Amino acid sequence: MSSLRWQTIFFDLDGTLANTIPLIVASYQHAFREVRGEEIDDARARAWIGRPLLGALLEEDPERGHDLDSTYREWNLANTERLIERYDGVPEMLTTLTAAGANVHIVTSKRTDTARLALVGVGIDHLIDVVGALEHTTNHKPHPEPLLVAAAKLGVDPTTAVYVGDATVDIIAARAAGMAAVAVTWGAGERAALEATDPDTVVDSVGELTAYLMTGPM
């Protein structure tokens, strides 16, 4: 009979539980087009996913980063409902894990209100809560602080928890926090890059992820 590998499971949101990748890429492209008159390709936009938005944009353009940020956010908010997509099997996975006794939570680089909007958009807002968001910490992934603060908020030893994410910054942050790390390949990250960060495992489907999380130690 299956049992949980970890009682506490932290999930990334973008590209892990909700397919916000097309929305994020289009939002970056719109912002750069409007503010800088520049076309950016999908690969360049995807490389910023998982990092705090403003920080990435200020690094790219210190003078116009704030303009890029506000233009991105306005367009992203207006187009979230239209462009956000569901990953098949995610609601069932969360239901299965919760029924088995898991505590499931989100740690994301989004702001809480934006994260909740995404959860509503894919119909899983009633299945999982946000315990770590952009406004909760000074440092952000790949720094471990978001995960450590979330664990402390729940009174959980980080070494007994796991973080599931689709980007290299997710795995690096989990390792630095002392957590187990599971990488998924259906989001922004490439398998080879994810493998290079030394996760506990890399999974290619929601079903495979569910099975891994539900299989207790041998």
Side-chain angles (χ1 to χ4, degrees), residues 81-178:
E81 186 175 350
R82 179 174 68 88
L83 291 179
I84 198 168
E85 300 174 3
R86 299 184 182 193
Y87 286 128
D88 290 341
V90 166
E92 292 81 1
M93 174 184 69
L94 296 175
T95 300
T96 296
L97 293 172
T98 302
N103 298 311
V104 295
H105 308 280
I106 287 171
V107 177
T108 176
S109 294
K110 283 185 179 296
R111 298 178 188 276
T112 300
D113 56 351
T114 312
R116 287 184 173 145
L117 182 65
L119 293 175
V120 170
V122 295
I124 58 173
D125 54 300
H126 62 297
L127 296 173
I128 193 166
D129 63 331
V130 179
V131 295
L134 181 70
E135 68 270 22
H136 295 149
T137 60
T138 302
N139 296 301
H140 306 288
K141 298 181 293 184
H143 196 282
E145 186 179 353
L147 289 170
L148 293 174
V149 168
K153 186 184 296 185
L154 298 174
V156 172
D157 180 347
T159 63
T160 66
V162 61
Y163 190 46
V164 181
D166 69 305
T168 55
V169 293
D170 298 325
I171 309 307
I172 294 167
R175 285 292 184 227

